[in-house]
């Protein structure tokens, strides 16, 4: 059961603290795919992946370390936050079901509440009530407003005490699909075009449900960018977002000069794109050689009749 | 150094022999991705993948088993062949260089020549001379004509004796890029359209260098098919072949209704397709989450500044 986990820490200025957190997270079977930080946001993002139980243990250890070293009373950054460890989303990889990630979120949340005495709020797919699905809503009032929010009727956390931890605040633990950061560049310097395209594709203004979009000026290149987040790529795919953006841009005479996937992308999303544009309706992940090789099931032998005639050594 | 190997055995009628060959090939670290056979061709194709040295050992053991059990003097099938083990191509996977596969071909060839007393002819990228690059040329005259071909001036094998093995003949061992079997369906029942499209795209008649193509009637569905082999996908990509076929078909008013990749396909070819159609010029394999996870290098830690800001848990 492969999962990704992207814990966010409220620390973006002390590299030695981040290094300690990274070391705490090191565990056999867990790949630390990245750790980035930003001093303005005063925030760091770690990307972990591996078997669910191992990833849970790894992020638990990182949480303990972060709680010991970060005091939110002295934390001022531009990014909203409720805790020293602010959010911990679990994300299914491959065939892992969302329900498994919800289970991991609950299990970790319970442990944090019980053993660290920190209130835990479950969010998105792991949320215990509709009002906590949206992370922005969970974080409203931030660290400074936590005491009041936790003490109101219905404000009790899912795990842990009903009062904020004095230095670590609270933690939002959740489960969600992988997020794809996808940018489309247009051959116009007119910011109004980017603005209109972003508005047309983003779900909140009537566009595609799984798309968040912002217009961006890309300074020097005489191009504008539509910066998108695809929050549910299995239902709203990269091609769906690109083709809608392309079509809208054409209304204003603008063409797509290029696109970029920022950071990691699930293989399934790349296969979706290949299936869509190649019209290869039946292309499956099982046909990808490197993946077949990863899949240990195949080493036990495959029944006769497996590979294609074309792999015969024809002339 | 990951490689694929696709040994072809001159046996397509005795499942127990194929099972013995399969068992001989079983080795830790080697994935047997497939074993298919065809009684008319009287031929079987095994697909192995793994670390080069392990794959070499696995195919060596399969070769020993096949040579012990197959007598070409009693072999009649529709597929041309020179040996009990007819051809053994090594194919680079991932970042493995072709030169590594050439080294494997030479190493295995030397061992077969020396320890089994079978003449070995190196072909394609591993060929020792231009006249042996083409497998069809290497196999000319087949098993029955081997004695004469090996004894003429310049006919000596690269390894082993200059006379055919009495039951196992000779073996062609080579290195080549992965082959992609790719079919394009057109919404016409007119075989002449498939014929013209195939002729336009195939390299031998002036089309794309890395493409072999045949027209096919797909019986019941009222569609024709252009059946292609892409022999060098890193230089002639799937999109290049599809878009040329699409354009040619349009000359006759025919549209592509779908395409299919038959059997295995390297991840790189899928990424190529995604890069091409998404115009995602800089999309790299390192961004594919499942692949990053496979790559053990990343478990040693990544410098700060890795993953994107968008992986922050934004609202």
């Amino acid at each position: 059961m492969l999962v990704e986990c992207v814990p966010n820490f409220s620390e973006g200025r002390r590299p030695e603290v981040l290094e300690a957190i990274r070391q705490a997270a090191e565990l056999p079977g867990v790949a630390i795919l990245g750790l980035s930080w930003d001093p303005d946001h005063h925030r760091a993002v770690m990307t972990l992946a591996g078997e669910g139980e191992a990833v849970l243990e790894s992020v638990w250890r990182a949480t303990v370390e972060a709680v010991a070293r970060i005091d939110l009373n002295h934390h001022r950054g531009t990014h909203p936050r409720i805790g020293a460890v602010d959010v911990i989303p679990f994300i299914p990889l491959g065939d892992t079901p969302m329900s498994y990630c919800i289970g991991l979120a609950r299990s970790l949340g319970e442990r944090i509440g019980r053993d660290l005495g920190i209130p835990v709020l479950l969010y998105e797919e792991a949320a215990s009530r509709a009002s906590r699905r949206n992370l922005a809503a969970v974080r409203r009032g931030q660290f400074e407003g936590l005491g009041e929010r936790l003490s109101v009727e219905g404000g009790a956390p899912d795990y842990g005490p009903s009062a904020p931890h004095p230095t670590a605040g609270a933690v939002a633990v959740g489960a969600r699909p992988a997020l794809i950061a996808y940018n489309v560049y247009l051959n116009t310097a007119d910011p109004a075009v980017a603005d209109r395209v972003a508005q047309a594709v983003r779900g909140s203004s009537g566009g595609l449900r799984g798309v968040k979009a912002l217009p961006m000026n890309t300074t020097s290149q005489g191009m504008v960018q539509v910066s998108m987040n695809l929050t549910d790529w299995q239902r709203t795919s990269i091609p769906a977002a690109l083709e809608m953006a392309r079509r809208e841009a054409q209304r204003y005479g603008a063409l797509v000069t290029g696109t970029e996937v920022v950071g990691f992308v699930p293989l399934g999303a790349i296969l979706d794109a290949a299936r869509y544009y190649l019209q290869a309706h039946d292309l499956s992940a099982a046909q990808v050689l490197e993946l077949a090789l990863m899949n240990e099931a195949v080493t036990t032998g495959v029944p006769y009749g497996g590979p294609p005639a074309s792999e015969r050594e024809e002339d």
Side-chain angles (χ1 to χ4, degrees), chain A:
Chain A
M1 290 288 192
L2 286 181
V3 305
E4 184 189 2
C5 187
V6 190
N8 286 220
F9 306 95
S10 294
E11 176 57 65
R13 296 175 190 168
R14 294 179 298 166
E16 72 281 8
V17 171
L18 296 174
E19 177 57 24
I21 293 171
R22 194 187 63 71
Q23 284 182 17
E26 279 184 352
L27 207 64
V30 176
I32 300 175
L33 296 176
L35 176 58
S36 70
W37 51 284
D38 181 282
D40 295 330
H41 285 186
H42 205 344
R43 191 173 180 86
V45 180
M46 184 184 274
T47 305
L48 306 169
E51 287 291 328
E53 291 299 324
V55 168
L56 188 153
E57 180 61 27
S58 164
V59 71
W60 161 255
R61 294 182 186 188
T63 298
V64 172
E65 187 69 27
V67 167
R69 289 175 174 265
I70 298 170
D71 181 352
L72 270 201
N73 295 289
H74 305 294
H75 182 277
R76 298 287 176 277
T78 58
H79 198 288
R81 77 284 179 269
I82 55 170
V85 182
D86 192 51
V87 294
I88 305 177
F90 287 95
I91 300 143
L93 291 182
D95 295 332
T96 302
M98 183 60 75
S99 59
Y100 179 74
C101 285
I102 294 171
L104 290 178
R106 289 183 182 150
S107 173
L108 178 66
E110 189 186 5
R111 192 167 173 189
I112 290 173
R114 186 187 61 223
D115 295 354
L116 295 179
I118 301 175
V120 171
L121 299 152
L122 296 172
Y123 77 100
E124 281 217 21
E125 300 291 328
S128 57
R129 62 202 81 171
S131 62
R132 289 199 185 146
R133 284 190 70 89
N134 186 335
L135 181 61
V138 169
R139 255 189 328 223
R140 201 162 293 143
Q142 297 197 49
F143 173 69
E144 290 74 10
L146 258 184
E148 191 186 329
R149 295 204 68 218
L150 293 174
S151 60
V152 300
E153 172 107 20
D158 293 290
Y159 304 105
S162 283
H165 185 283
T167 57
V171 188
V173 182
R176 62 164 174 81
L179 178 152
I180 298 172
Y182 186 59
N183 299 330
V184 172
Y185 290 87
L186 304 176
N187 67 343
T188 171
D190 182 358
V193 173
D195 198 36
R196 284 174 195 150
V197 172
Q199 191 178 328
V201 298
R202 87 162 67 89
S204 66
S205 53
L208 295 166
R209 182 173 176 141
V211 175
K212 300 178 181 185
L214 285 175
M216 298 272 181
N217 282 311
T218 58
T219 51
S220 58
Q221 303 162 70
M223 290 189 287
V224 294
Q225 185 201 94
V226 181
S227 176
M228 295 189 271
N229 276 350
L230 310 187
T231 61
D232 194 356
W233 63 266
Q234 289 182 300
R235 300 202 297 166
T236 309
S237 69
I238 299 179
L242 171 58
E243 293 310 316
M244 186 158 182
R246 188 197 304 286
R247 184 56 55 107
E248 290 294 324
Q250 281 173 350
R251 289 176 59 177
Y252 309 103
L255 295 175
V256 174
T257 61
T259 76
E260 65 187 1
V261 175
V262 183
F264 293 113
V265 58
L267 178 65
I270 297 298
L271 279 169
D272 267 355
R275 264 190 295 264
Y276 182 99
Y277 290 107
L278 295 178
Q279 299 172 251
H281 314 302
D282 298 325
L283 180 66
S284 94
Q287 293 180 263
V288 177
L289 204 49
E290 288 82 352
L291 219 70
L293 190 52
M294 266 174 77
N295 183 354
E296 286 176 287
V298 298
T299 62
T300 62
V302 162
Y304 292 161
S310 59
E311 274 292 332
R312 273 186 217 110
E313 196 68 14
E314 304 279 0
D315 300 335

